[in-house]
Amino acid sequence: MILVQDFEYKPGEHEAEKASGSYLMSLVALVGGLPFPIINLFATLGFFMANRKGTHFVRWHCTQALLSQFSLLFINSFGFWWTISIIFSSEQITNNYIAYIITIIIFNLTEFVATIYTAIKTGKGQHVSWWLYGDVTNLICKP
Amino acid sequence: MEKVIIRLVLIVAFFFATYTALKEVDWLTLFNVEHLTSKSEEKLGELFWEYYSQNEHEIKDTIITIPIDSILATICKANNINKDNLKLHVISSDEINAFALPNKHLIINLGLLKAVENQDELCGVICHELAHIEKNHVSQKLIKEIGLSILISNTIGNSSPEIINNAVMLLSSTAYDRKHEKEADLQAIDYMLNANVDPAPFASFLRNSFGSDYQFSEHLSWISTHPDANDRADYIFANIENSTRSFNKILAAVTWDNLKLRIVKE
């Protein structure tokens, strides 16, 4: 699922720090923005925009972090509005709702663990490519 | 690119597979989430009806009750609704009102029977209340307004007359939220069409009653507590405007006339 690969060049210490920062940014935003899924995306997008003129290594990891947040946005937003409708309208808690919330918790936790792991590895200058997200990033982010 | 698409499909499939598998678990029981079971609703229904019927006179005259029961039976049969579970009550009250209590009690006031000009209008109101019952709006409204734990405590012997009074007042004198009212109106149209009853008179009833002297009548609960009757009439008409079919009357003209004559005497 997560592969530690060789990048096309050996990134410098400063680059590794910045690339690792993109994951940390999404982590901090994830904790701060838990009730509002869009906050994570905005925070990561902000970091991505700030580094869009950075080196290939930094841009690559900012893009991978952004993509991972983007996919979570959809599933989390659906869960968020479902919860709002239960609190403020006549919707009731059902088995389907609980099943959905558990599903998004599983996916968010997986992403959370993967993000911490990747932040540590990238901080050491290692190139970590995620399953699917790494492939999409390769297509988007050219040297 | 092909690899990306395959992986994307796989991850989406994995998400839905996880969700589908988790849906099979009865989480409500596992987490002990309180919800109004059919047994609790049954008890609440009896409790509320017992309280309500103490202060009201139920009409047992068969000239009045049998035709209304026939209307209800025809609508239920046409819509595959089990009529045996429904409890129809006609109450001697001049208030133009009809409402539902838990456990499928359907209450129709004499005032409403006097106000309707034809049986199709009455069918519309019955179908609307039936829709509230079938779509479980009654329990949802009670849970939202009164609270689940209070309702459940009433069913296990801690009944409070004040709470029962509030609940009965809530169900008999206030409307459901706008979404539920519209849902019930649209469902009522379906019920009527399935039973081959013309829904147009129901929409006219809403519009005419709202625009007439009835508007400010203290007896006009069913119209005045519901969302704007003109809006409702508009979307009912909008939903039936393409219908060119011919409709039937559930009751024979003579049965309806006898019913109206008897109501005047009551």
Side-chain angles (χ1 to χ4, degrees), chain B residues 100-151:
Chain B
L101 289 178
N103 200 26
K104 306 194 175 195
H105 285 274
L106 174 57
I107 288 111
I108 295 172
N109 283 358
L110 204 62
L112 176 76
L113 298 176
K114 285 177 184 169
V116 291
E117 284 178 7
N118 55 59
Q119 53 175 297
D120 294 338
E121 293 179 354
L122 178 62
C123 271
V125 178
I126 291 175
C127 285
H128 176 91
E129 292 307 321
L130 193 58
H132 280 314
I133 292 173
E134 288 301 305
K135 289 189 167 287
N136 203 26
H137 293 168
V138 182
S139 312
Q140 287 178 29
K141 183 179 180 184
L142 280 175
I143 290 169
K144 191 179 170 193
E145 303 285 342
I146 294 186
L148 191 59
S149 39
I150 295 174
L151 288 172

Side-chain angles (χ1 to χ4, degrees), chain A residues 75 82 90 92-93 95-96 98-100 102-103 107 131-132 135-136 139, chain B residues 1 3-4 7-8 14-15 19 22-23 25-28 31 140 143 180:
Chain A
I75 59 170
W82 198 342
S90 51
Q92 282 184 285
I93 294 179
N95 282 326
N96 287 1
I98 298 175
Y100 187 80
I102 293 173
T103 310
F107 273 72
W131 196 79
L132 175 68
D135 303 318
V136 180
L139 289 174
Chain B
M1 189 65 188
K3 190 172 83 175
V4 171
R7 286 186 170 186
L8 182 67
F14 180 66
F15 177 82
Y19 174 52
L22 288 170
K23 269 198 319 190
V25 182
D26 186 3
W27 299 105
L28 292 175
F31 291 148
Q140 287 178 29
I143 290 169
H180 281 174

Side-chain angles (χ1 to χ4, degrees), chain A residues 5 7 56 60 63 67 127 129 132-143, chain B residues 3:
Chain A
Q5 296 171 328
F7 201 61
H56 185 214
W60 197 97
T63 311
L67 287 174
H127 178 60
S129 174
L132 175 68
Y133 297 101
D135 303 318
V136 180
T137 309
N138 280 333
L139 289 174
I140 300 171
C141 192
K142 300 291 178 199
Chain B
K3 190 172 83 175

Side-chain angles (χ1 to χ4, degrees), chain B residues 59-76:
Chain B
I59 294 172
K60 300 279 187 185
D61 183 350
T62 51
I63 302 281
I64 296 173
T65 57
I66 288 180
I68 300 170
D69 196 64
S70 298
I71 291 175
L72 187 61
T74 308
I75 294 163
C76 287

Side-chain angles (χ1 to χ4, degrees), chain B residues 71-83 86 130 195:
Chain B
I71 291 175
L72 187 61
T74 308
I75 294 163
C76 287
K77 195 178 172 193
N79 291 284
N80 294 321
I81 296 169
N82 186 0
K83 189 196 163 277
L86 291 163
L130 193 58

Side-chain angles (χ1 to χ4, degrees), chain A residues 62-130:
Chain A
C62 283
T63 311
Q64 182 167 259
L66 182 68
L67 287 174
S68 70
Q69 287 301 316
F70 198 70
S71 56
L72 279 182
L73 173 79
F74 290 106
I75 59 170
N76 287 356
S77 297
F78 192 77
F80 172 74
W81 288 111
W82 198 342
T83 308
I84 290 291
S85 71
I86 285 173
I87 298 170
F88 295 106
S89 81
S90 51
E91 283 277 327
Q92 282 184 285
I93 294 179
T94 57
N95 282 326
N96 287 1
Y97 170 75
I98 298 175
Y100 187 80
I101 294 297
I102 293 173
T103 310
I104 61 172
I105 287 172
I106 292 170
F107 273 72
N108 275 276
L109 268 180
T110 312
E111 203 262 357
F112 192 77
V113 172
T115 304
I116 292 174
Y117 175 81
T118 313
I120 295 167
K121 287 282 180 191
T122 1
K124 289 175 185 168
Q126 290 172 310
H127 178 60
V128 181
S129 174
W130 292 13

